[in-house]
Amino acid sequence: MKPARVPRKKDAWAEADQYRWAIYWLLIAVCIGGSVGRTFAVTGNHGRHPFLSANDRSRWATVRSLVDHNTFAIDEVIEDHYWDSIDKVYHLGPDGKYHYYSSKPPLMSVVLAGEYWVIKNTIGLKIAEHPFYVGRAIIIVTNGLLLLGLLWPTILIVERYAKSDFARVGIVATICFGTFLTTYAVTINNHLLAATSVAIALYCGLRVWCDDRSEAKYLLGAGFFAACAAVNDLPAFSFFALLGLAMLIKKPVPTLLYGIPGAAVILVASIGSNYIAHQSWRPPYAHRGDGEVLGTVESKLHGPLDQRKLPPEVRDVLAQQEVELSDEAQIITRETGNRWVLLDKGIDRRYAIQRTDSAIEVRDWDNWYDYDTSYWKPGVKKGVDEGETSRAWYAFHVILGHHGILSLTPVWFLSIVGLGMWLGEKGVFRQVAAFIVLLTLVCVLFYIFRPLKDRNYGGMTSGFRWAFWLIPMWLTAMIPVLDRWKSWWWGQRVFALLLLFSAISASYSALNPWIHPWIYNYLGYLGWLSS
């Protein structure tokens, strides 16, 4: 007799229950191992240094300068043009002279400098002499820990709130292979750090909001890591503020006792390091305009100023501020008839002269991005950095176009479906969905409604990187739809197809995330782009 036929289980994923954690560890190993392998393959600057773009070189210059020269100023470092970067500012230092500094928030560079200091003072390797060994060691340790910090809370979230193995393993596979966060693991950047911080803070926040937990570790973790996300990615301040409000509503006393002090630690460290680096409480990007008015001149001086002549009236205004100009003082025209720069190399000072409707204002210098070789001056920027003139066209490309969140990583369509499912239910997950929807809209609309100069898709980048910090929340939003599709063969195949195309986009720039997306490059090949 033939043996009786065993009926096939409806949920094929049920068989993986006892092996689920083994699958997680395999995915983690492949994800981190792949990032380490790609880091070894990196050959930036035509093989001279393992640094891939102006963005990460800006931070590396600070790391080298802090350890090798004991200063945040990067003048000596960028004399080697392979270490130079367009992401720098120029302002007075504590010695009363002008210096170049990285425009990036300094806290992350300080932490990386600590790693370099250990390498230099234990092994004896200097980053200037051995950039590959030192640079790769720091990248592998830093980003390896960040990837683990990203994957682990993601696993804890799906283990706690997903109901099927299909959803659990599918979401972990997505974070390992289908997003740009692993793409950016081969370079020092703030986006992986911000997303990791959001993932940890989100898990802690969910335990408080959904599970009514009040342990110190959850409130402390939520406060500390939400603040860490905020100081490393400006739009994540919305996450920090909204999560903090939610924690205060749910658990006011524990939040005051643990959450706020946890956040204060990272906020003080960020603000303090910025002040030490720049002698200003404001970050560099807040220094893009002229400083305070030192005095006004009623005379019409735009004629002599356009001819680069220094009127005595301007000297008199500065003399009243106890500033004695040298014979080397000269006028530089920035905008004919409207704005000029007074540069005095003799005393290493500069001032802005601005024409108004009724007078000429002499202002202190506070535009740190306005220097002779600045890439960020009008008329210097090229390509995508010039900004998208049409706001509607920009919005399209941010969402569905060549830098599109959904076109490059279509797996996020499932997040939209999942959010809709949660919003249609009653209970805490409707509130979680509203939280995610609100933060997504705030971030995307914030960048869509930026002025022309900032509508550049994040510059030379493989995806719309300013939204990467939202990825842990978008992954969480996939839970209800994947739970429902656990037994639907067509749903499983749709998910696999969406993940496939997302993984293709993420792997296109696997060796250098600081390149344009494949859709942008292909449209350029077809001649459909104007720049």
Side-chain angles (χ1 to χ4, degrees), residues 245-259:
L245 178 61
M247 296 300 96
L248 280 171
I249 292 173
K250 190 72 174 182
K251 299 290 181 180
V253 174
T255 299
L256 292 173
L257 290 176
Y258 307 113

Side-chain angles (χ1 to χ4, degrees), residues 454-490:
D454 293 331
R455 295 201 296 267
N456 66 350
Y457 306 100
M460 182 73 77
T461 175
S462 54
F464 192 66
R465 59 190 177 95
W466 292 324
F468 288 173
W469 64 273
L470 292 160
I471 286 175
M473 289 182 281
W474 293 344
L475 288 165
T476 304
M478 291 168 57
I479 288 176
V481 64
L482 292 186
D483 272 340
R484 181 168 295 185
W485 287 1
K486 64 179 181 179
S487 326
W488 296 0
W489 67 268
W490 61 266

Side-chain angles (χ1 to χ4, degrees), residues 399-400 405-419 478 481 485 498 502:
I399 300 170
L400 292 169
I405 296 169
L406 296 174
S407 52
L408 289 172
T409 43
V411 74
W412 301 136
F413 278 109
L414 300 183
S415 302
I416 296 175
V417 176
L419 288 170
M478 291 168 57
V481 64
W485 287 1
L498 294 176
S502 300

Side-chain angles (χ1 to χ4, degrees), residues 1-116:
M1 291 180 62
K2 293 182 179 181
R5 196 173 197 180
V6 178
R8 188 175 182 179
K9 293 182 179 181
K10 292 184 179 180
D11 183 4
W13 285 86
E15 298 178 356
D17 182 64
Q18 58 182 317
Y19 305 112
R20 189 170 63 249
W21 279 94
I23 294 173
Y24 289 157
W25 284 114
L26 286 173
L27 290 173
I28 291 172
V30 173
C31 177
I32 296 180
S35 70
V36 171
R38 289 183 286 114
T39 302
F40 277 114
V42 164
T43 54
N45 287 327
H46 307 288
R48 291 175 174 84
H49 295 145
F51 316 137
L52 301 179
S53 75
N55 191 296
D56 65 330
R57 283 198 306 275
S58 179
R59 288 187 168 92
W60 283 116
T62 303
V63 169
R64 177 179 165 186
S65 188
L66 279 172
V67 179
D68 292 346
H69 305 292
N70 299 311
T71 177
F72 280 94
I74 60 175
D75 306 64
E76 293 184 63
V77 173
I78 62 176
E79 288 177 357
D80 178 353
H81 71 278
Y82 291 111
W83 283 79
D84 200 1
S85 170
I86 61 175
D87 290 333
K88 60 179 184 282
V89 292
Y90 191 62
H91 63 79
L92 282 172
D95 59 356
K97 297 180 179 180
Y98 278 87
H99 298 282
Y100 289 103
Y101 298 84
S102 169
S103 60
K104 305 300 180 183
L107 181 58
M108 184 178 184
S109 297
V110 171
V111 176
L112 297 174
E115 295 182 45
Y116 171 39

